[in-house]
Amino acid sequence: MKRQQVKVSDEENEGQTAMPTVDASDYHAVIFAGMEQVISTINEFREAHTNNLWYIADALMQWRPFKVERKVLAYVASQTGYTAAYLRNLWRTAQAFSPLFREPDEYLTFLHYQIAAATDEPDAWITKARIGSWSPDELRQAIRDAAPGAGRS
């Protein structure tokens, strides 16, 4: 697919480059246009030295909220400097926690949310970590201790 850039002509956005219009019936063109936007967004955050990983995770969610194909994610990774596994982990974390549930807290970091997202009950684990003021290591240990068969010889 040949990439084209379209200049925006309304007064508010004069001279800016917009995403090309794509026929929604062309699945691959739609995927490509969305993927290019995600790559651009991730690179903008990276260049701005934005350390808030929720921005990158949310960019991935806006592009593909339900499924991320391995080959496509590998391409996005190659264009952004992150690994595909790292991006998949960010995406999984954003998928597990809606923006409404991400309460600011002096104890909880993005890592807490990543750890909890890997469980069957991410909301419950984040709540426990918040109430207990757990570190990420304490959250991991609590999850391991709660696993079936934990502590049995």
Side-chain angles (χ1 to χ4, degrees), residues 6 31-32 38 51 74 80 103 113:
V6 180
I31 296 301
F32 180 78
V38 168
N51 292 324
T80 60
E103 299 175 29
Y113 286 93

Side-chain angles (χ1 to χ4, degrees), residues 1-13:
M1 175 181 166
K2 187 175 180 180
R3 293 171 61 183
Q4 69 182 59
Q5 294 185 340
V6 180
K7 292 291 182 188
V8 177
S9 59
D10 66 20
E11 289 180 27
E12 184 178 325
N13 298 311

Side-chain angles (χ1 to χ4, degrees), residues 2 20 33 39 41 82 103 112 115 117 125 135 138 145 152:
K2 187 175 180 180
I39 290 167
T41 300
Y82 293 107
E103 299 175 29
H112 284 89
I115 294 165
W125 284 110
S135 70
E138 290 170 322
D145 291 347
R152 297 184 186 141

Side-chain angles (χ1 to χ4, degrees), residues 4 16-17 33 44 71 82-83 95 103 105 109-110 115 117-118 123 125 135 146:
Q4 69 182 59
Q16 293 181 357
T17 301
E44 285 173 20
K71 287 180 183 178
Y82 293 107
T83 66
Q95 187 180 40
E103 299 175 29
D105 190 291
T109 64
F110 190 83
I115 294 165
D123 293 341
W125 284 110
S135 70

Side-chain angles (χ1 to χ4, degrees), residues 3-120:
R3 293 171 61 183
Q4 69 182 59
Q5 294 185 340
V6 180
K7 292 291 182 188
V8 177
S9 59
D10 66 20
E11 289 180 27
E12 184 178 325
N13 298 311
E14 187 67 38
Q16 293 181 357
T17 301
M19 290 300 294
T21 311
V22 182
D23 179 2
S25 65
D26 185 351
Y27 174 77
H28 296 292
V30 171
I31 296 301
F32 180 78
M35 178 174 46
E36 290 300 310
Q37 183 62 45
V38 168
I39 290 167
S40 174
T41 300
I42 291 172
N43 285 329
E44 285 173 20
F45 290 136
R46 187 176 205 131
E47 289 167 13
H49 302 289
T50 302
N51 292 324
N52 189 333
L53 296 175
W54 285 118
Y55 293 140
I56 297 171
D58 287 338
L60 291 166
M61 279 298 293
Q62 287 177 355
W63 171 56
R64 300 294 288 170
F66 303 110
K67 183 180 178 186
V68 177
E69 291 88 1
R70 186 168 297 198
K71 287 180 183 178
V72 173
L73 194 59
Y75 176 74
V76 173
S78 74
Q79 299 301 304
T80 60
Y82 293 107
T83 66
Y86 185 73
L87 292 175
R88 184 177 304 282
N89 194 352
L90 295 179
W91 172 79
R92 181 184 66 202
T93 303
Q95 187 180 40
F97 297 102
S98 78
L100 298 174
F101 191 77
R102 302 174 198 162
E103 299 175 29
D105 190 291
E106 68 180 282
Y107 295 106
L108 298 182
T109 64
F110 190 83
L111 182 56
H112 284 89
Y113 286 93
Q114 284 181 303
I115 294 165
T119 70
D120 291 336

